[in-house]
Amino acid sequence: MSEVARAAGFVLAGGRSRRMGRDKALLEFASQTLVEAIAAQVRDAAGSVTLLGDPARYGHLGLAVVPDIIPGQGPLSGLHAALETSREDYVLLVACDMPNVEAGFLRTLLRTAFQNEAKCVVARTSHGLEPLCAVYHRSTRADVARALGEGRLRIRELVAELGGIGVDADPRMVQNVNTEDDWNLHLTEKERAG
């Protein structure tokens, strides 16, 4: 079985985008939406992609969309939904607000997970671990469900419990855009590079 056949890709699109003031997933980016651009990178790496969020909000994009099973609990709800709906050994999870993420790096995360038979492999920068650019083994379902049930919603704490393996990443790769200023700065940098 190929490595890709053992993984399912998911993009976390269900956030409230409070600081941005509008839905980050639907920001216009390279003649498509930001979530579509990230979904393409995830599909390239994992062989499939599903959005985690509200089907009524994202269904028009033509991508599979899975809602939270336990809503209102932040990103951990999305990870829970991914693990519960996937039949593959590994779930690749990427947030919808990382415009610089690349399939090559995501494949490195997957390869590291497969080679180490790891429960969790996470992008790592000088700022620490980025649990929303990571790979989770299906055996972590119970850990995630338990954390949700106990109201422990910080994914970084869960990653520590799981003994997550960090993979060094260029900080720009996992930099997220949270505000209009972040977004405008990102677009300006893309134009300069472009």
Side-chain angles (χ1 to χ4, degrees):
M1 182 185 295
S2 78
E3 292 179 344
V4 166
R6 297 176 57 200
F10 291 86
V11 179
L12 190 61
R16 294 193 179 120
S17 302
R18 279 187 223 124
R19 288 184 282 169
M20 180 67 71
R22 55 188 171 136
D23 190 340
K24 291 187 280 189
L26 299 178
L27 290 170
E28 188 176 327
F29 183 69
S31 73
Q32 57 190 332
T33 63
L34 182 56
V35 73
E36 287 172 300
I38 293 171
Q41 298 299 314
V42 170
R43 182 187 297 113
D44 189 6
S48 70
V49 67
T50 300
L51 303 185
L52 298 164
D54 182 354
R57 189 186 297 179
Y58 305 113
H60 71 281
L61 297 173
L63 297 164
V65 185
V66 170
D68 290 346
I69 297 166
I70 303 172
Q73 302 300 306
L76 195 61
S77 289
L79 174 57
H80 175 257
L83 289 166
E84 289 296 326
T85 58
S86 176
R87 295 181 175 178
E88 310 305 336
D89 290 341
Y90 286 96
V91 161
L92 170 63
L93 181 73
V94 179
C96 73
D97 62 355
M98 295 181 181
N100 299 312
V101 75
E102 295 176 1
F105 177 71
L106 300 177
R107 281 192 290 272
T108 299
L109 290 178
L110 286 166
R111 194 175 316 111
T112 302
F114 301 144
Q115 290 171 348
N116 293 280
E117 297 182 1
K119 281 187 169 185
C120 180
V121 174
V122 185
R124 176 179 58 208
T125 71
S126 58
H127 301 293
L129 299 178
E130 179 44 75
L132 299 184
C133 184
V135 177
Y136 296 87
H137 191 270
R138 67 180 174 187
S139 66
T140 64
R141 284 179 189 159
D143 300 285
V144 171
R146 184 166 48 253
L148 274 173
E150 294 171 358
R152 294 183 294 112
L153 305 181
R154 295 176 189 240
I155 297 185
R156 280 194 173 90
E157 292 175 9
L158 176 67
V159 166
E161 287 175 31
L162 297 174
I165 297 172
V167 174
D168 289 335
D170 178 335
R172 286 183 39 77
M173 180 86 59
V174 295
Q175 182 178 22
N176 48 17
V177 290
N178 290 313
T179 65
E180 285 288 345
D181 287 343
D182 291 346
W183 183 240
N184 291 330
L185 179 62
H186 172 76
L187 292 176
T188 302
E189 288 173 355
K190 279 284 189 196
E191 287 165 6
R192 269 189 259 133

